[in-house]
Amino acid sequence: AEHGVEGYPTLKFFHRGQPAPYEGGRSTEDLVGYAMDQLERLGVGAEVLQLTSAEQWREACLKKGSLCAVAFLPHILDSGAEGRQAYLETLKEVAKKNRRLYRFVWSEAEAQPRLQQALDACCASYPTLAAVSADKGRFALMRDAFDEKHAAAFVGGVLRGAIRTHPVRGSASSLEVVAADAWDGKDGELPPDEPLDAYDDMQLDSEL
């Protein structure tokens, strides 16, 4: 039989066209766990989504048992494209090693004010990282420098119970995400200045 399939059901894992037998359990947890193990073994990059809609937030972080790592990054005018990309690369490296346990997402500072307010008026500074369990209505905030070492220690510490968690402000329903523009990968642009002659006209009008 093709690929050595002799009976049904048979599961095989394919990488670059080469099959490998799957001999694990058949539950959803077993299959997902095996897939995640293979992604980690092969060094496949992890996805880190920008929060741009309520539907996306529900799919990523509001399902029962979900645990999300939410990064709040500086405004694009503060970090520039190069700085933001560096933060995202840090997140992707941490996500790659923790994808079985967390979904990683990010938002620009103040783009999700209701979500930040629910996380105890997060954040005093940017960037920062929050671990959020909507299911339990609890969260934790990283207090250390935003780098791969500290971010990995933070998400691991939350799972081990070594980092204190807090109840969300209000209730789990207050963990609300609103529509936001997706980042285009470019540097930000300052809004155009008002022409000075517009103010001159206003002054002339008042003098008349």
Side-chain angles (χ1 to χ4, degrees):
E2 187 177 8
H3 303 305
V5 176
E6 298 178 351
Y8 301 95
T10 295
L11 296 176
K12 287 185 177 289
F13 174 78
F14 284 80
H15 175 58
R16 296 181 178 175
Q18 297 301 313
Y22 172 75
E23 299 174 348
R26 300 302 177 95
S27 70
T28 301
E29 291 78 10
D30 291 331
L31 293 171
V32 171
Y34 177 80
M36 293 299 179
D37 286 341
Q38 296 304 311
L39 290 174
E40 291 172 16
R41 182 178 67 84
L42 297 170
V44 177
E47 186 177 32
V48 179
L49 299 173
Q50 181 187 359
L51 289 176
T52 57
S53 71
E55 181 181 1
Q56 179 194 56
W57 171 246
R58 284 194 299 270
E59 285 295 313
C61 299
L62 296 189
K63 292 181 178 179
K64 187 174 178 60
S66 294
L67 186 58
C68 267
V70 186
F72 295 98
L73 304 183
H75 193 282
I76 191 63
L77 292 177
D78 294 324
S79 68
E82 184 176 352
R84 176 170 289 181
Q85 194 58 51
Y87 292 136
L88 291 176
E89 289 303 318
T90 294
L91 281 174
K92 288 177 182 178
E93 286 303 311
V94 179
K96 187 188 299 184
K97 300 170 185 175
N98 294 275
R99 71 177 106 208
R100 293 185 64 176
L101 304 168
Y102 282 90
R103 288 296 304 272
F104 281 74
V105 296
W106 69 276
S107 171
E108 183 174 81
E110 307 302 333
Q112 299 297 339
R114 297 173 186 173
L115 178 60
Q116 289 190 221
Q117 189 67 24
L119 301 180
D120 199 24
C122 165
C123 305
S125 61
Y126 304 98
T128 195
L129 186 62
V132 181
S133 171
D135 195 26
K136 296 180 179 179
R138 299 191 70 84
F139 74 98
L141 291 177
M142 187 173 76
R143 307 293 183 182
D144 298 309
F146 193 95
D147 56 36
E148 185 178 344
K149 176 183 176 181
H150 287 105
F154 169 72
V155 296
V158 171
L159 289 173
R160 294 192 306 273
I163 294 178
R164 183 181 178 186
T165 63
H166 308 272
V168 299
R169 184 176 290 184
S171 65
S173 61
S174 62
L175 293 168
E176 186 178 349
V177 164
V178 297
D181 292 333
W183 180 43
D184 60 6
K186 301 177 182 178
D187 286 318
E189 295 183 2
L190 289 169
D193 293 329
E194 287 285 341
L196 293 177
D197 56 0
Y199 295 99
D200 293 340
D201 292 342
M202 291 174 60
Q203 184 177 359
L204 288 173
D205 291 342
S206 62
E207 291 175 354
L208 293 175

